[in-house]
Amino acid sequence: MDHAADAQRTDLMTLTRFVLNEQSKHPEARGDLTILLSHIVLGCKFVCAAVNKAGLAKLIGLAGDTNIQGEEQKKLDVLSNEVFIKALCSSGRANVLVSEENETEIYVETSRRGRYCVVFDPLDGSSNIDCGVSIGTIFGIYMLKDGKAGVVSDVLRPGKEMVAAGYCLYGSSCMLVLSIGNGVHGFTLDPALGEFILTHPVMRVPRKGKIYSVNEGNAKHWDEPTKKYVEIAKFPTGGSVPKSLRYIGSMVADVHRTLLYGGIFMYPADKKSPNGKLRLLYEVFPMAYLVEQAGGQAFTGKERALDVVPKKIHERSPIFLGSFEDVEEIKTLYHASGLL
């Protein structure tokens, strides 16, 4: 028995320990965010277990209903949504919740209300459930303004006002990527310990990447700057190497790869979806927050993504995010086109 290895294994930086360490840097902190995050982590573990046994438990397939977006709900969508709503309500630290699966915002009962608002997509990429492609949970957290009761306007705020954001990727391993405003850190679930372990400290998106990620099936509907960018990516001049196309169709998986390897993830507005397709509050904002914290950029085709002020909870938005220089190139094309 390797006692030295076992001793080393006891000094792991777990997600709980990491968040507590960050909390200790702020003497005024009451631990509310720490408690809220621990309930989100519990929800992620539950959903991870459900995803892993979905086929055996007959959790794949359609649940026979549609969500507010008009998309057919999968059984795992419904389960995941219930799990996160219950986890957040039971934390005693949440106040207003917005889920992709619910038509209206959810207010935690008065006796259990806290001072945070949570926006989340309980199971992003659910159209990929049945074929085993990586899917995930996305979340963002706002703090209530002092002395205010929770109302919908508390979540209709720019993404730059979030105090934390993250996603949990359910794939070959379960990985939770989190920022609480001090950089981006990745934690991998150790199934034997049941704990998320810090495996990717201080994640930084490369300044320039070799990958572009976009659904080219929509190419005929794109505006000119997007068409031009993809054309340059495929047929660069001056002896440059073409970029590689990688597109999974699950935002969590595509953004995760972009964070690790660099490049650009794009879901532009087009003639078919003039306002974009991805939801601003619980898809665009959390991912833009993470990418900026990791040294990248996020742009809507008109402005910095985190500066947009949402008008409704299920508002959609175009998005270009990833490596700083790659996003700068698409911004230059928009400026040159006169569309800005």
Side-chain angles (χ1 to χ4, degrees):
M1 187 173 181
D2 190 345
H3 293 289
D6 283 347
Q8 181 69 25
R9 204 169 155 75
T10 63
D11 193 32
L12 300 170
M13 178 61 78
T14 65
L15 178 52
T16 304
R17 180 178 160 194
F18 176 86
V19 175
L20 285 170
N21 283 355
E22 290 303 310
Q23 179 188 319
S24 68
K25 296 175 185 176
H26 304 276
E28 74 284 0
R30 305 191 318 208
D32 288 355
L33 183 60
T34 303
I35 293 168
L36 182 66
L37 287 170
S38 72
H39 281 253
I40 291 173
V41 167
L42 178 62
C44 291
K45 290 177 183 176
F46 192 105
V47 173
C48 178
V51 167
N52 287 340
K53 64 185 180 187
L56 295 172
K58 294 185 168 55
L59 284 169
I60 56 176
L62 298 178
D65 206 348
T66 56
N67 65 10
I68 182 57
Q69 316 302 333
E71 301 162 338
E72 290 184 313
Q73 285 182 306
K74 303 282 185 168
K75 293 175 185 176
L76 264 178
D77 275 349
V78 177
L79 173 68
S80 303
N81 193 42
E82 290 176 358
V83 164
F84 278 102
I85 290 172
K86 288 177 180 175
L88 291 165
C89 289
S90 66
S91 72
R93 300 300 184 275
N95 194 308
V96 184
L97 310 178
V98 172
S99 167
E100 183 196 26
E101 304 296 334
N102 292 76
E103 183 174 359
T104 60
E105 65 277 10
I106 300 161
Y107 295 98
V108 179
E109 60 185 90
T110 308
S111 62
R112 304 165 93 182
R113 281 185 190 170
R115 55 180 184 152
Y116 290 99
C117 305
V118 185
V119 294
F120 61 99
D121 183 346
L123 205 61
D124 176 72
S126 55
S127 60
N128 291 310
I129 290 171
D130 294 7
C131 60
V133 170
S134 295
I135 52 182
T137 297
I138 309 172
F139 63 90
I141 302 172
Y142 292 97
M143 182 184 283
L144 282 177
K145 292 173 181 173
D146 287 340
K148 284 193 66 177
V151 291
V152 68
S153 60
D154 287 307
V155 293
L156 295 179
R157 291 153 61 189
K160 64 187 177 185
E161 294 186 18
M162 284 182 169
V163 295
Y167 62 79
C168 190
L169 177 72
Y170 313 114
S172 55
S173 60
C174 179
M175 187 168 176
L176 193 148
V177 175
L178 174 70
S179 176
I180 49 179
N182 65 339
V184 181
H185 308 275
F187 304 81
T188 304
L189 182 63
D190 184 331
L193 297 176
E195 290 279 3
F196 280 101
I197 308 300
L198 181 62
T199 51
H200 295 67
V202 195
M203 295 172 71
R204 302 292 292 174
V205 62
R207 189 153 179 93
K208 187 173 179 62
K210 301 175 182 177
I211 296 169
Y212 73 101
S213 182
V214 66
N215 182 357
E216 288 213 54
N218 294 326
K220 72 174 185 178
H221 304 295
W222 290 343
D223 59 22
E224 284 308 310
T226 305
K227 286 180 181 175
K228 187 76 185 277
Y229 182 87
V230 171
E231 182 185 345
I232 294 169
K234 293 157 88 167
F235 307 105
T237 56
S240 300
V241 178
K243 291 184 184 290
S244 297
L245 169 65
R246 298 285 185 272
Y247 184 71
I248 299 166
S250 166
M251 188 188 191
V252 172
D254 281 314
V255 173
H256 185 65
R257 182 200 56 247
T258 304
L259 268 177
L260 291 175
Y261 303 146
I264 188 169
F265 168 81
M266 306 187 288
Y267 213 116
D270 56 33
K271 294 170 188 170
K272 199 168 62 170
S273 303
N275 297 317
K277 190 172 179 187
L278 296 177
R279 268 69 62 160
L280 188 60
L281 264 184
Y282 41 80
E283 291 178 327
V284 170
F285 278 171
M287 292 309 200
Y289 185 95
L290 289 167
V291 166
E292 284 202 6
Q293 284 287 322
Q297 287 196 79
F299 173 65
T300 66
K302 293 181 179 177
E303 60 186 310
R304 177 191 178 208
L306 292 180
D307 287 340
V308 178
V309 181
K311 296 178 179 63
K312 50 188 179 179
I313 61 173
H314 296 296
E315 187 171 330
R316 297 175 187 262
S317 172
I319 188 64
F320 303 86
L321 59 77
S323 295
F324 191 95
E325 290 186 17
D326 291 322
V327 176
E328 198 63 31
E329 286 176 23
I330 192 83
K331 286 168 72 174
T332 301
L333 290 171
Y334 268 96
H335 278 290
S337 72
L339 291 177
L340 284 182

